[in-house]
Amino acid sequence: MFSSALKSLSSNISTNYQISPHPTAVSGPWRIHDGKKKSTGTAASIFIFDKKVLEPRSSGLGNRSSSALKKLQEDVVERLKREAGNLARLRHPSILQVLEPVEETRGGGLMFATESITTSLAGLLQAKEEQERTSRGGSRPSRYVVGEPDGTRRRKDIEIDELEIQKGLLQVAKGLEFLHESAGLVHGNLNPEAIYINAKSDWKISGLGFAGPPDSSDAKSSLPPLAISEVLYQEPRLPHSVQLNLDFTSPDFALDSNVTTAADMFSLGLVIIALYNSPHVSPLQAHSNLTSYKKLLSSPSSTPSQSNNFLCSGTIPKDLLTHLLPRLITRRPAQRLNAREFQQSQYFDNVLVSTIRFLESLPAKNANEKSQFMRGLQRVLPEFPPTVLERKVLGALLDELKDRELLPLILQNVFAILQRIPNARRTLPEKVIPRLKEVFAAQQPGKGPVPDRDSKKDAGLMVVLENMNFVAENCSGKEFKDDILPLIRLGLDSPTHSLVDAAIKCLPAILPVLDFSTVKNEVFPSIATTFSRTSSLAIKVRCLEAFTVLCGGSAGDGAASEDDLSGVVRENKSPSAKPSILDKYTIQEKLVPSLKAIKTKEPAVMMAALRVFRQIGTLADTEFLALDVLPVLWSFSLGPLLNLRQFEEFMALIKSLSWKVEREQAKKLQELSSGGDTAGFQNGSGGFLSPTNDLMQSDLDNTRNNFERLVLGRETGASSSPGTDPWQNLGPQASATQSSSQKPPSATFSWSSNGATAASKGASPLNLSARSVTPDYNLSAFPSLEPATRQKSPMSQTFSTLQPSPSTSWNLPVTANNKDNARSINMGTTSGASMEALANMKASTTSMYGQTSQQAPNYSAFSIPPPPSTSNNVGSFTGPGASAHVNRALFGQVNPAPTTSFISSPPQPQNTQKEGLDKYESLL
């Protein structure tokens, strides 16, 4: 509906301005919409008059009356045009400012644009009256939900209190003074509908449709004189909003028909009474009837005066009641105050009003007066209502930011105001930040040539940096990144050390607002550049503290609040761990190289770097810690200026990181060895050969038992299948023999499980034709190997050395598996590296030899022939000599012993059989 109506009112204003669909306020015949200029984004208010409001309700009048009504409507339109034209010609801070002159629309309506306003005084009083009627809470903010040009709705708060009234009345009086003395005009219709309140909470005079020169004026005026008889007549066919408001009219007009400037002062007195009256209306209720108005003034009881409290049901302040109103609400014009005298009244004699008056005249003051005013303003700010601070004081201070000499003082007051107003989160980005950008834009890096340093701008920037916590709390991330972060970078790039220090101190406040990419790509490089470039010891320490924060630490970790740059700090309880801001790559590839480049050995720098490395130690890889971090820590710890306590702190961190590296590396190697892969064989870890050696040791015991039974002529306790014996050389060791009658304790084998051991008591031994032992054979693939029937051996002997034959191949049965087995075992016995691996076998393999020998399944691939009846030797005990080092490593023996070799080829004859039997007997 509104869009179609707006098309009928098409004009240049509707083309150049974005207009909200809903009116903000309705004042008289005007509907006021919020607007915004499309080209500049300047906020404005669009006054729209629709001629349809002048159409009367249906009546039985004929054509004659309709022609007369049309003439009245045209007069109204002309008067409204004159009102907008008068506003456009008059320029004063207390007169509503016109941005676009009045235009006629296609439907016969009118439209003009003014500065942005919030509401009229009549609308404010009406909202306050409704609020008082519902809550009876006294002076509370009046809320207005207004339509934005983009179609959104926003709430505006207006609070009217005593200071707001004082300030507003003072501004209206200034406007009247300008009209009376400078413009030579009488307003003629001053009432709450003719007073508007703008976004800065300033009261502005408008409604100049009935303005004209006074009767006593001799100067020529561009406006025609006011025809009293015409304006006093109330036309019933026209709306009351386009006619003179008799409730606020002076008796000079109604009774004397005189147009004087004193008439406006009488109207101002009635406006003051309406502010405190309940309801907020004039004490003279004429109901648009001139006769009723005259009747009211004819009776003392219905005429407002000091004796009847000016017919006000509310409480009027004493100064108004005793000093001002009696000299405004008076029948004789000569007894009334003029606008200038009104401003000098005792009612306005207080520090808050005087502060506002001085602030309004601040551009006309000299530099010394401005400086004194700004210094003293901070002491009186707590006494101001928040609404006055936000709408009046803050706006005036922001307008003065162009004065570079006062920049730091103004910014101190600006942030003091922001901390006192409730909606600072909206005020800061909308009003303050754009002005800060204008002030510091020329100094931002990368924008044109670098200008000379301005000490006043630097001081202003220092104020901004000191209040960065407040700014970060009241800004969104995008606003902070786009508008505030450049100011911090400006401080980091400054040659002034105090600015750099203040910029780095902002880091804990700004990190929660920024995202990771911004911190990594914009914040960290700036700090790193400052760290590498500065020659100031204090700045280096501050940068290192920033690095600690970026790595997840705290700015106060281990640092005293007052750093004397000695590096000696008190121990603080470490706070709870926080996640690192920087990623591992940035820390290892960019941060640590910067720390390596530190050349100074000052204790303060060394200890600050220690705190950074302490955080890095919790984040970096162990390999990086071992190769890159620990060498740097050792270098720093040997600094000649460190004391004992500082050195001990370095050593504590070095030990902690070294232990971490050791633990991680051991865990890694343990995981690799427990996996059972071939890496253990190739790396000589023994992970493969240890269980294999257990199996070989069991075969040795089995072969020895069979041999003893053979040479002693005893029967075997259990049948054993022929097998393959991988060992060819055995060396006996002279040791004490154990009694054959003693029962040995149960032996524990590394290759047998608990369940298999228990089941082996009644099970027959497992017979295999061949046993495959290959380097890549997994232990889990072997079948469960259990000892056979455990028998008492007649003689138990410990073999001290065991050495594979370096040259003789084992005589295995010729099968496919045996060929592979022989090849595998040959490789293991002939390879020097394999022997080194055998040297690492676990001690559990040797412990079995300390127990009584047991009968085990014979997996040997060859059989030892029985000894001949007369002169054949069973075997030779003079085998080729092997390395004693290997034997000692295998069996844990210290003294070397002669080696014994079981030859798979036919036994060689010996010259003396007795020597061999004597050797047997020595074994027995």
Side-chain angles (χ1 to χ4, degrees):
M1 178 179 178
F2 174 76
S3 60
S4 61
L6 192 58
K7 290 180 181 177
S8 65
L9 302 175
S10 179
S11 64
N12 290 333
I13 296 178
S14 61
T15 303
N16 298 328
Y17 284 81
Q18 188 178 2
I19 305 175
S20 64
H22 304 283
T24 301
V26 177
S27 179
W30 300 100
R31 288 181 292 108
I32 307 170
H33 295 258
D34 283 344
K36 182 181 293 184
K37 195 168 185 178
K38 296 179 181 179
S39 59
T40 62
T42 303
S45 290
I46 312 300
F47 283 68
I48 299 176
F49 167 73
D50 190 355
K51 195 175 182 180
K52 294 180 180 180
V53 301
L54 300 179
E55 295 179 359
R57 291 179 293 271
S58 60
S59 61
L61 300 178
N63 295 333
R64 180 179 177 183
S65 61
S66 63
S67 62
L69 178 60
K70 185 176 181 180
K71 177 66 169 60
L72 291 175
Q73 292 176 350
E74 291 176 354
D75 291 343
V76 170
V77 173
E78 288 299 324
R79 185 165 61 249
L80 294 177
K81 283 184 182 180
R82 186 166 60 249
E83 175 184 345
N86 292 338
L87 287 176
R89 285 192 297 268
L90 299 175
R91 295 288 182 178
H92 188 269
S94 296
I95 304 296
L96 186 63
Q97 180 183 2
V98 176
L99 301 179
E100 298 288 345
V102 65
E103 298 176 357
E104 292 188 19
T105 60
R106 294 179 181 177
L110 301 175
M111 179 185 294
F112 68 98
T114 69
E115 61 177 305
S116 178
I117 65 171
T118 303
T119 184
S120 65
L121 181 58
L124 175 61
L125 294 177
Q126 183 180 359
K128 188 172 186 291
E129 181 180 335
E130 293 176 357
Q131 192 175 45
E132 288 174 350
R133 186 167 55 249
T134 56
S135 64
R136 297 299 177 186
S139 176
R140 289 188 177 182
S142 299
R143 294 174 173 83
Y144 296 86
V145 179
V146 298
E148 295 290 347
D150 56 1
T152 59
R153 308 281 286 173
R154 182 164 65 90
R155 190 184 73 180
K156 291 184 177 180
D157 294 342
I158 293 292
E159 183 176 350
I160 180 169
D161 52 19
E162 189 60 31
L163 181 61
E164 191 76 30
I165 292 175
Q166 289 179 334
K167 176 183 68 67
L169 292 177
L170 191 61
Q171 292 171 334
V172 171
K174 289 182 178 181
L176 291 177
E177 180 186 0
F178 169 75
L179 288 177
H180 297 165
E181 299 183 6
S182 300
L185 297 175
V186 176
H187 190 285
N189 193 27
L190 186 65
N191 61 81
E193 294 282 356
I195 300 174
Y196 294 100
I197 302 175
N198 67 359
K200 296 180 179 180
S201 192
D202 293 332
W203 291 18
K204 303 277 186 173
I205 294 177
S206 181
L208 298 176
F210 295 94
D215 293 341
S216 60
S217 176
D218 297 333
K220 294 183 179 181
S221 176
S222 58
L223 297 178
L226 185 64
I228 296 296
S229 59
E230 294 181 5
V231 300
L232 288 177
Y233 176 71
Q234 300 291 309
E235 175 58 52
R237 292 172 293 179
L238 293 176
H240 296 304
S241 60
V242 298
Q243 303 184 61
L244 186 69
N245 191 340
L246 291 178
D247 293 346
F248 292 91
T249 299
S250 168
D252 305 349
F253 281 10
L255 302 180
D256 303 334
S257 298
N258 293 330
V259 179
T260 62
T261 56
D264 289 340
M265 301 308 296
F266 188 91
S267 299
L268 179 61
L270 295 178
V271 170
I272 294 174
I273 297 175
L275 291 173
Y276 296 97
N277 199 5
S278 180
H280 298 284
V281 294
S282 170
L284 299 175
Q285 293 295 309
H287 303 290
S288 300
N289 190 316
L290 184 59
T291 304
S292 300
Y293 181 86
K294 293 179 178 179
K295 185 178 180 179
L296 289 173
L297 292 181
S298 62
S299 173
S301 60
S302 57
T303 301
S305 63
Q306 187 175 1
S307 60
N308 56 17
N309 198 38
F310 296 98
L311 301 177
C312 179
S313 59
T315 301
I316 302 176
K318 182 178 179 181
D319 289 337
L320 278 176
L321 188 64
T322 58
H323 296 93
L324 274 183
L325 289 179
R327 301 194 60 184
L328 294 177
I329 308 299
T330 179
R331 179 66 179 85
R332 294 185 179 184
Q335 294 179 350
R336 299 173 195 154
L337 296 172
N338 60 31
R340 186 184 297 272
E341 293 171 344
F342 178 82
Q343 298 174 52
Q344 298 172 355
S345 171
Q346 185 178 351
Y347 174 65
F348 301 107
D349 188 13
N350 63 74
V351 64
L352 299 185
V353 176
S354 300
T355 300
I356 294 177
R357 297 174 69 174
F358 190 95
L359 193 61
E360 291 176 345
S361 61
L362 191 62
K365 305 296 183 180
N366 58 44
N368 188 29
E369 291 175 336
K370 291 180 180 180
S371 178
Q372 292 180 1
F373 173 76
M374 291 298 174
R375 295 178 189 277
L377 180 61
Q378 297 185 40
R379 294 194 295 269
V380 300
L381 286 179
E383 302 179 22
F384 278 95
T387 53
V388 177
L389 289 177
E390 178 184 355
R391 294 181 174 88
K392 182 62 182 176
V393 182
L394 180 61
L397 292 178
L398 292 177
D399 291 338
E400 291 297 321
L401 284 178
K402 58 182 179 292
D403 190 345
R404 297 295 181 263
E405 296 296 324
L406 298 176
L407 184 60
L409 295 176
I410 294 175
L411 287 176
Q412 289 176 3
N413 288 288
V414 166
F415 283 104
I417 293 174
L418 289 174
Q419 293 173 3
R420 294 188 57 82
I421 60 179
N423 51 353
R425 189 169 183 83
R426 177 177 58 84
T427 304
L428 178 65
E430 288 184 1
K431 298 180 179 180
V432 179
I433 291 181
R435 304 306 294 269
L436 294 179
K437 291 172 60 178
E438 295 176 3
V439 172
F440 298 105
Q443 283 187 285
Q444 291 185 13
K447 295 190 176 183
V450 179
D452 296 336
R453 302 302 300 186
D454 188 342
S455 60
K456 295 299 182 181
K457 277 191 175 182
D458 287 349
L461 182 59
M462 176 65 74
V463 176
V464 177
L465 295 176
E466 289 174 350
N467 291 273
M468 194 55 62
N469 286 336
F470 177 82
V471 174
E473 292 173 358
N474 293 276
C475 271
S476 65
K478 185 178 184 305
E479 293 168 342
F480 195 93
K481 176 182 177 181
D482 296 339
D483 302 329
I484 302 300
L485 188 57
L487 300 182
I488 298 177
R489 295 177 60 188
L490 184 63
L492 290 173
D493 296 336
S494 173
T496 306
H497 291 167
S498 58
L499 271 181
V500 179
D501 184 72
I504 299 176
K505 283 182 179 179
C506 299
L507 189 63
I510 69 177
L511 287 180
V513 187
L514 301 176
D515 55 6
F516 167 73
S517 60
T518 303
V519 174
K520 177 181 177 181
N521 300 324
E522 298 186 32
V523 177
F524 171 73
S526 299
I527 299 177
T529 302
T530 303
F531 176 73
S532 60
R533 183 187 59 201
T534 185
S535 58
S536 170
L537 181 63
I539 299 302
K540 279 192 176 294
V541 173
R542 191 70 69 186
C543 289
L544 289 170
E545 292 176 356
F547 292 150
T548 304
V549 174
L550 290 175
C551 292
S554 175
D557 287 352
S561 57
E562 296 181 1
D563 192 359
D564 58 359
L565 302 182
S566 65
V568 179
V569 293
R570 294 176 299 176
E571 286 290 342
N572 294 330
K573 184 179 292 185
S574 60
S576 58
K578 296 185 294 184
S580 173
I581 307 298
L582 297 179
D583 60 323
K584 185 185 297 185
Y585 172 81
T586 306
I587 292 175
Q588 296 185 172
E589 301 297 330
K590 297 182 179 180
L591 176 57
V592 173
S594 298
L595 299 178
K596 287 182 180 179
I598 297 178
K599 297 180 180 179
T600 179
K601 299 298 182 181
E602 289 293 332
V605 178
M606 294 292 98
M607 300 309 294
L610 175 67
R611 291 187 285 273
V612 181
F613 278 118
R614 184 177 291 118
Q615 292 301 127
I616 295 175
T618 63
L619 305 170
D621 298 329
T622 54
E623 182 178 356
F624 182 82
L625 293 177
L627 300 180
D628 293 87
V629 174
L630 285 174
V632 180
L633 285 175
W634 275 110
S635 175
F636 286 1
S637 66
L638 301 178
L641 302 180
L642 297 181
N643 58 29
L644 177 60
R645 181 176 176 276
Q646 294 164 348
F647 174 75
E648 290 175 349
E649 290 189 26
F650 268 97
M651 292 308 301
L653 180 58
I654 291 173
K655 292 176 182 178
S656 174
L657 297 183
S658 299
W659 178 83
K660 180 179 180 181
V661 173
E662 178 184 359
R663 181 187 59 185
E664 295 295 331
Q665 186 66 13
K667 181 179 179 182
K668 184 188 302 182
L669 295 177
Q670 183 179 5
E671 292 175 353
L672 291 176
S673 62
S674 64
D677 54 8
T678 60
F681 180 85
Q682 296 170 354
N683 298 333
S685 64
F688 167 75
L689 290 179
S690 178
T692 304
N693 197 53
D694 293 342
L695 299 177
M696 293 180 177
Q697 187 65 42
S698 176
D699 287 346
L700 272 176
D701 292 343
N702 186 23
T703 303
R704 179 186 171 193
N705 291 337
N706 292 339
F707 178 77
E708 289 178 352
R709 296 188 189 97
L710 179 64
V711 298
L712 293 177
R714 298 180 180 179
E715 296 180 357
T716 58
S719 61
S720 60
S721 300
T724 59
D725 189 355
W727 301 105
Q728 294 180 351
N729 297 321
L730 291 176
Q733 179 183 2
S735 61
T737 60
Q738 298 180 356
S739 173
S740 61
S741 63
Q742 294 178 351
K743 186 177 181 179
S746 300
T748 301
F749 297 90
S750 62
W751 38 261
S752 63
S753 62
N754 296 333
T757 305
S760 66
K761 294 181 180 179
S764 60
L766 181 63
N767 297 326
L768 293 176
S769 61
R771 180 167 58 87
S772 175
V773 181
T774 58
D776 57 350
Y777 209 102
N778 196 307
L779 182 61
S780 62
F782 285 101
S784 296
L785 300 180
E786 300 293 336
T789 42
R790 304 174 184 266
Q791 298 180 353
K792 298 179 182 180
S793 62
M795 197 68 63
S796 177
Q797 183 173 359
T798 301
F799 283 54
S800 62
T801 58
L802 177 63
Q803 178 175 338
S805 174
S807 59
T808 309
S809 62
W810 297 343
N811 190 11
L812 299 178
V814 183
T815 63
N817 291 337
N818 290 343
K819 289 180 180 180
D820 296 337
N821 296 342
R823 185 183 303 111
S824 303
I825 296 178
N826 262 339
M827 177 187 68
T829 55
T830 56
S831 171
S834 299
M835 294 304 298
E836 289 296 324
L838 288 173
N840 295 327
M841 289 194 304
K842 297 179 181 179
S844 62
T845 61
T846 62
S847 65
M848 295 164 51
Y849 288 88
Q851 308 294 336
T852 305
S853 303
Q854 306 174 20
Q855 182 178 357
N858 185 11
Y859 299 108
S860 178
F862 66 96
S863 299
I864 301 178
S869 60
T870 56
S871 63
N872 291 336
N873 289 337
V874 175
S876 174
F877 285 87
T878 59
S883 172
H885 169 73
V886 175
N887 295 333
R888 285 194 301 271
L890 284 172
F891 295 97
Q893 301 298 326
V894 177
N895 297 325
T899 59
T900 302
S901 175
F902 291 125
I903 310 298
S904 60
S905 58
Q908 299 295 330
Q910 299 292 333
N911 294 331
T912 56
Q913 183 177 1
K914 185 177 181 180
E915 293 180 359
L917 293 176
D918 292 339
K919 191 170 296 185
Y920 293 161
E921 292 175 357
S922 67
L923 292 175
L924 300 176

